[in-house]
């Protein structure tokens, strides 16, 4: 057993057996780098407008939750358990901060993908008529779709 593991085991014992707040704080500090790691991994797959600090902030709540709910008696490493909780907290935080409804985001994605396919196929930007035809919607519906996503989602 490494010195790090033995130290962590003692902290878990103090925290779970005696609800020692200092042990809890020490555990949070010990595992804080896990939040940075998980947030950094998720940030690689996020748009540029998502700040790493926001991801880390959401992840910190996941770490707190993981420390409070972890059962050292189970045969699971804390890092494995906490990583899942941190990732979930980050995703929940992003969802709660996203004021755009999923249906609007889905419409924006369909428009974006259709425009991209047509641009690649035609070698130029497609006209509104071409996009509407590719989406198999009348022009009026196509313009409604544009109005629904404009201002809410950047396509």
């Amino acid at each position: 057993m490494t010195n790090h593991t033995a130290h962590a085991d003692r902290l878990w014992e103090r925290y779970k057996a005696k609800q020692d707040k200092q042990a809890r704080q020490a555990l949070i500090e010990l595992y804080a780098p896990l939040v940075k790691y998980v947030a950094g991994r998720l940030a690689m797959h996020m748009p540029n407008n998502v700040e790493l600090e926001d991801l880390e902030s959401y992840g910190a709540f996941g770490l707190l939750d993981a420390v409070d709910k972890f059962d050292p008696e189970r045969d699971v490493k804390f890092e494995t358990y906490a990583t899942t909780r941190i990732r979930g907290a980050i995703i929940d935080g992003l969802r709660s901060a996203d004021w755009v409804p999923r249906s609007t985001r889905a419409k924006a994605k369909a428009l974006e993908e259709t425009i991209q396919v047509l641009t690649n196929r035609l070698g130029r930007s497609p006209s509104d008529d071409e996009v509407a035809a590719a989406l198999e919607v009348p022009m009026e519906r196509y313009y409604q779709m544009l109005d629904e996503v404009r201002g809410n989602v950047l396509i």
Side-chain angles (χ1 to χ4, degrees):
M1 184 179 304
T2 67
N3 195 22
H4 173 77
T5 306
H7 176 64
D9 288 347
R10 284 191 304 275
L11 289 172
W12 281 115
E13 193 175 309
R14 279 180 37 211
Y15 176 54
K16 292 301 179 175
K18 302 173 187 166
Q19 295 299 307
D20 183 329
K21 291 183 188 218
Q22 288 178 327
R24 179 181 185 267
Q25 185 60 39
L27 286 165
I28 291 166
E29 291 170 13
L30 180 66
Y31 293 110
L34 210 53
V35 173
K36 287 190 174 294
Y37 173 76
V38 174
R41 297 284 306 227
L42 284 174
M44 293 188 299
H45 305 286
M46 297 286 157
N48 292 336
N49 64 330
V50 176
E51 298 287 332
L52 178 61
E53 292 80 18
D54 290 339
L55 300 181
E56 290 173 355
S57 177
Y58 299 139
F61 289 108
L63 177 61
L64 296 175
D65 189 50
V67 167
D68 291 341
K69 293 182 179 169
F70 181 66
D71 181 358
E73 300 298 315
R74 291 193 166 187
D75 196 23
V76 177
K77 285 180 61 178
F78 177 76
E79 291 87 342
T80 305
Y81 176 76
T83 298
T84 303
R85 303 296 292 208
I86 292 166
R87 188 176 194 285
I90 291 171
I91 292 168
D92 288 347
L94 289 170
R95 283 186 183 138
S96 69
D98 187 4
W99 51 272
V100 178
R102 287 187 185 193
S103 60
T104 302
R105 204 163 283 291
K107 287 175 193 164
K109 186 174 182 175
L111 280 167
E112 183 179 351
E113 287 174 354
T114 301
I115 291 168
Q116 186 63 45
V117 166
L118 288 173
T119 300
N120 290 341
R121 187 182 321 144
L122 300 171
R124 60 173 171 77
S125 294
S127 68
D128 288 344
D129 290 330
E130 291 168 327
V131 176
L135 289 168
E136 299 177 348
V137 297
M139 285 303 295
E140 184 177 323
R141 178 65 190 123
Y142 171 68
Y143 288 130
Q144 280 178 331
M145 289 174 74
L146 286 178
D147 286 341
E148 289 170 18
V149 300
R150 186 176 292 123
N152 291 322
V153 179
L154 298 175
I155 59 170

